[in-house]
Amino acid sequence: MMAASPPNRGGAGFPAEGRCGYFVEKKKRFCRMVAAAGKRFCGEHAGAAEEENARKRILCPLDPKHTVYEDQLTKHLKKCNAREKPKPDFFIQDINAGVKDETEIPEQLVPISSLSEEQLGNLINKLRKASEGLNSTLNDHIMSHPALHDAINDPRNGDSATKHLKQQASILGNIEKLKLLGPRRCFVEFGAGKGKLSHWVDIALKDAEKVHFILVEKVTTRFKVDGKHKKKNSVFERLQIDIQHLCLNKIPVLREGKLPVVGIGKHLCGVATDLALRCLVETYAACYEERNEEPLAKRIKNDKTENEINTLAKEENENNVPEKWTPVAGIVIALCCHHRCDWRHYVGKEYFRTLGLGAVEFHYFQRMSSWATCGMRTAPLVDEDITIKSKDHQNDESEEHDDGEYRITDDSTDNLPGILTVEEKKKIGHLCKLLIDQGRVQYLQQKGFSPALQNYIDPLVSLENVLLTALPIHSSPQTTG
């Protein structure tokens, strides 16, 4: 690697002090990386140094985004950040993935734009028939919370910051309305990103005792707000893991502390919602109930005296553990990106089957769901079935998925057989979303919860404005709608 000839060295022509002396021809400037003491070039451009020309740098086989000296490769592989790390106890492969039924998933399906007018018409008729009886107009539960009042009205905020704060305030208001905002519980934020939703929950709780936060995020995230919370009464724990493999039962604070769990999430993307629901109400809650099928006295009578049994019962009362205590106290998740759902992981398969629908219909309905938020856009789209900005199926640093980051060419009216107006496409997209969400509602009902769908924010703030909430049936009932 040879350094390009630098421009005339006049003032700005020199590299900054302590910086790399390699001139990047493509950028017409010197590299801005820091050079080691006594070195002219940074590690990436060290091969350009005359005394190091004999050493060859190669791409790291674990992560080609960086290079390494060939003669130091063995040593580098042992400490490279991209190396596979030991799996934690709470990692269980595919524990929340659902049953894989390969016979139901077609190997290849043509894009919607390649369907004939008759095929598309049949799909839309199936959608409308399946949606009969469903209330397509959800109730508005647009709320706020005083904890965010000052932040929302901060004049330094831009439009994007204000938009996110309003959504967080409404989610927080809904959590409080469901009486889930209180002490002695564990909030599990799925697709946590920077952790801002948990941040505001903690601020709203003030000095509530025995509050634990578990922030679940698959990818490494910059600018996390977890570090701002070092109070004695609340603990923040971040788990870098895919929800698909997360076993909450193996997390010490939940295994030993008997804290009711509140599952929360802001714009939990597509399939991640199904994985989170299964993680909470199937993997975690069901396992906990199996361990507690017998009454307390019966479970311990063989090795405890009567006095000890009375003492344990008294301790439970003092700890305010309700008689009908359940491991999952509630769920509050803002839904997002239905076009990124996956039939294998979807929790509403049984609901679809009762309607005479299967994997093929689900595939096209999830594609058409994007019409609800993308159908009115006129920006040109690339000629592929799907073009998706590279990111994790959970949340990411942007915290928002409704601003055109996901573009699907199937939403182009010009490419569709027949004639569908923008408004018709929008209505069809909303029906697809509603049907997919209804499958989630029925799943929660079957698992002993009282679920509900509601609009939690004005669509002018976010087009992805539906909130899924659920409480155990013995708690205060809420109606679906």
Side-chain angles (χ1 to χ4, degrees), residues 323-354:
E323 183 181 351
K324 292 186 176 181
W325 181 87
T326 56
V328 178
I331 300 170
V332 181
I333 294 176
L335 305 174
C336 177
C337 302
H338 294 69
H339 61 272
R340 300 200 72 188
C341 290
D342 186 298
W343 176 253
R344 179 195 171 184
H345 305 307
Y346 180 51
V347 296
K349 286 182 184 177
E350 185 176 335
Y351 175 70
F352 260 61
R353 289 180 182 130
T354 59

Side-chain angles (χ1 to χ4, degrees), residues 62-120:
L62 298 179
D63 182 5
K65 293 178 181 178
H66 65 274
T67 61
V68 60
Y69 283 118
E70 189 173 28
D71 57 4
Q72 291 185 339
L73 179 60
T74 302
K75 181 180 178 181
H76 171 78
L77 293 178
K78 294 178 181 179
K79 61 182 181 180
C80 179
N81 288 332
R83 73 189 186 282
E84 186 175 355
K85 300 175 180 64
K87 298 291 190 295
D89 290 341
F90 50 78
F91 179 99
I92 298 182
Q93 185 74 35
D94 291 333
I95 189 171
N96 302 314
V99 179
K100 186 175 183 180
D101 191 346
E102 296 179 354
T103 60
E104 288 195 76
I105 303 174
E107 292 183 3
Q108 187 174 3
L109 291 169
V110 299
I112 292 178
S113 56
S114 298
L115 295 175
S116 67
E117 185 173 347
E118 181 181 0
Q119 289 173 319
L120 180 62

Side-chain angles (χ1 to χ4, degrees), residues 107-330:
E107 292 183 3
Q108 187 174 3
L109 291 169
V110 299
I112 292 178
S113 56
S114 298
L115 295 175
S116 67
E117 185 173 347
E118 181 181 0
Q119 289 173 319
L120 180 62
N122 288 337
L123 277 172
I124 294 175
N125 288 336
K126 285 184 178 181
L127 172 67
R128 287 173 173 155
K129 182 178 179 180
S131 304
E132 288 178 358
L134 296 181
N135 184 5
S136 59
T137 304
L138 303 180
N139 294 328
D140 288 336
H141 283 210
I142 301 174
M143 309 188 75
S144 190
H145 195 279
L148 286 93
H149 180 268
D150 291 342
I152 290 176
N153 293 289
D154 190 336
R156 295 173 296 178
N157 288 335
D159 291 341
S160 178
T162 302
K163 176 177 72 170
H164 291 303
L165 287 167
K166 287 181 177 179
Q167 293 174 67
Q168 289 154 355
S170 184
I171 294 173
L172 191 54
N174 277 277
I175 293 174
E176 185 174 53
K177 182 179 180 180
L178 295 171
K179 299 181 181 178
L180 296 174
L181 200 62
R184 295 180 296 280
R185 62 198 62 204
C186 179
F187 291 88
V188 180
E189 183 179 357
F190 294 95
K194 300 172 189 175
K196 289 188 176 179
L197 182 55
S198 292
H199 164 79
W200 290 114
V201 171
D202 187 52
I203 289 177
L205 287 169
K206 297 179 180 178
D207 295 321
E209 62 177 6
K210 294 184 180 179
V211 178
H212 201 102
F213 291 90
I214 295 176
L215 282 64
V216 181
E217 178 58 65
K218 178 181 177 182
V219 297
T220 303
T221 308
R222 300 193 305 163
F223 311 121
K224 299 183 285 288
V225 297
D226 316 10
K228 295 182 179 180
H229 301 273
K230 297 181 180 179
K231 296 187 302 182
K232 183 170 58 175
N233 293 328
S234 62
V235 179
F236 277 69
E237 182 178 359
R238 180 174 283 265
L239 308 181
Q240 188 174 331
I241 185 173
D242 192 317
I243 303 171
Q244 184 170 331
H245 314 301
L246 174 62
C247 181
L248 292 176
N249 310 74
K250 299 289 186 179
I251 298 174
V253 68
L254 296 179
R255 186 177 65 238
E256 302 163 4
K258 200 176 182 181
L259 291 174
V261 167
V262 179
I264 60 175
K266 174 179 175 286
H267 290 286
L268 194 56
C269 191
V271 66
T273 295
D274 297 298
L275 296 174
L277 293 178
R278 190 175 283 112
C279 177
L280 287 167
V281 307
E282 196 167 323
T283 306
Y284 179 62
C287 182
Y288 207 105
E289 287 165 5
E290 287 175 8
R291 296 203 319 249
N292 293 276
E293 286 178 350
E294 297 176 337
L296 174 65
K298 186 176 180 181
R299 291 200 309 271
I300 62 178
K301 72 184 267 190
N302 292 330
D303 51 10
K304 297 288 181 183
T305 67
E306 186 175 347
N307 288 337
E308 288 173 316
I309 293 173
N310 292 335
T311 301
L312 284 172
K314 182 179 179 181
E315 287 177 354
E316 282 201 342
N317 291 333
E318 289 175 351
N319 290 331
N320 295 320
V321 178
E323 183 181 351
K324 292 186 176 181
W325 181 87
T326 56
V328 178

Side-chain angles (χ1 to χ4, degrees), residues 1-7 9 21-26 30 40-41 48:
M1 182 193 306
M2 297 298 294
S5 299
R9 294 180 177 273
Y22 182 84
F23 185 76
V24 185
E25 183 63 36
K26 183 178 179 180
F30 285 97
R40 181 184 170 193
F41 299 99

